[in-house]
Amino acid sequence: MVNVFITDVIKLDSYYQRIWHAYNCSPSGGVSNELLAVEIACKTVNTTAPEELLDYAIEELNSSYNKKYGEYVFKQSDSKLSKSKINRFVSISKSDCFTLCKNLNIYVTERFDLEVLKKQTSNADKKLGSLKRLELLLSQKDGNVHNIISPLFIIYDMRIVDSHDVDEDNSVFDRLGIKLTGNEENYVVIGATIIFLLAKCLHDLAEIINK
């Protein structure tokens, strides 16, 4: 349940107003403490959005890689899309989830510096891309890295679904541990879960490097 003041919704663009209207319901348990803290007591809420966690995780992995290998694994300021597109609230349908994954792929995966990774995996097959090289490098430090890095590969597969307009089955969601019920789904929550899983993946990869 998310509590908002209606006056705050009115200030949003019509696109976002439609989202709030679609999911609107009266609070059954009273106004949340978080809303009262922000709007009445003017105190910062002690929560972190998954979008922020993702940025923290990117910086954490970048910093850990630099400390270990002397170079940054992410290309600096090389994202091809607006940060506003990395947002759980743009995911209001199943197709939107695939679009979100396409944008996550651009925002994260396409920023891995292949040339930097090649320096640490010089003996690998020259055809390997950045994700496979990162997996190969970290597998020397952790035997479970294949499972840890899997969200990056799954999100890449979901990006292909969006880009190539193939059948939207549920298998990619299942691989992320997200079970679709077949009834009315809350795709905003699903989008938040996808972003969180990616952030956790990057954090765990940083932890492996720090061993």
Side-chain angles (χ1 to χ4, degrees):
M1 175 72 72
V2 178
N3 288 168
V4 296
F5 279 128
I6 190 63
T7 51
D8 291 335
V9 177
I10 292 173
K11 297 174 185 177
L12 299 174
D13 293 338
S14 60
Y15 170 79
Y16 293 104
Q17 288 186 31
R18 289 196 296 272
I19 297 174
W20 283 106
H21 180 268
Y23 290 95
N24 181 55
C25 64
S26 299
S28 58
V31 179
S32 69
N33 292 331
E34 290 84 355
L35 182 63
L36 291 175
V38 172
E39 297 290 353
I40 306 302
C42 299
K43 294 181 180 178
T44 303
V45 178
N46 188 26
T47 58
T48 305
E51 295 85 356
E52 288 187 59
L53 290 175
L54 179 60
D55 281 337
Y56 293 154
I58 290 172
E59 290 301 317
E60 182 183 20
L61 178 55
N62 214 22
S63 176
S64 296
Y65 195 95
N66 181 51
K67 288 178 181 178
K68 180 68 176 180
Y69 301 109
E71 293 184 279
Y72 291 107
V73 72
F74 285 106
K75 298 175 184 176
Q76 300 300 306
S77 303
D78 195 48
S79 179
K80 300 176 183 177
L81 82 163
S82 169
K83 177 66 167 62
S84 64
K85 293 185 178 180
I86 307 300
N87 190 316
R88 62 197 182 279
F89 294 111
V90 303
S91 179
I92 58 176
S93 69
K94 191 174 184 180
S95 62
D96 288 337
C97 278
F98 289 108
T99 301
L100 174 62
C101 288
K102 179 186 73 173
N103 292 334
L104 286 170
N105 186 73
I106 296 171
Y107 192 70
V108 178
T109 306
E110 292 187 6
R111 288 170 61 189
F112 279 115
D113 195 323
L114 180 58
E115 296 306 313
V116 167
L117 287 165
K118 281 181 178 180
K119 295 178 183 179
Q120 302 300 327
T121 55
S122 57
N123 295 328
D125 187 331
K126 295 183 179 180
K127 296 180 180 179
L128 290 184
S130 58
L131 293 185
K132 283 292 186 181
R133 287 181 181 275
L134 183 61
E135 179 183 2
L136 179 63
L137 174 62
L138 298 188
S139 65
Q140 302 168 23
K141 300 171 69 68
D142 191 308
N144 193 41
V145 71
H146 177 74
N147 293 324
I148 294 172
I149 202 173
S150 63
L152 281 164
F153 288 98
I154 298 168
I155 287 171
Y156 177 80
D157 291 343
M158 295 178 79
R159 168 257 183 193
I160 292 177
V161 170
D162 176 78
S163 298
H164 296 81
D165 194 29
V166 298
D167 292 338
E168 297 178 6
D169 60 57
N170 295 341
S171 61
V172 284
F173 291 99
D174 292 339
R175 288 165 60 197
L176 282 172
I178 299 173
K179 300 298 182 183
L180 301 186
T181 64
N183 300 317
E184 186 174 347
E185 310 284 355
N186 190 333
Y187 287 103
V188 172
V189 173
I190 292 172
T193 302
I194 292 171
I195 296 172
F196 173 79
L197 289 173
L198 180 55
K200 185 178 186 306
C201 165
L202 299 179
H203 165 75
D204 290 344
L205 293 177
E207 290 288 295
I208 292 173
I209 293 175
N210 292 336
K211 287 182 178 180

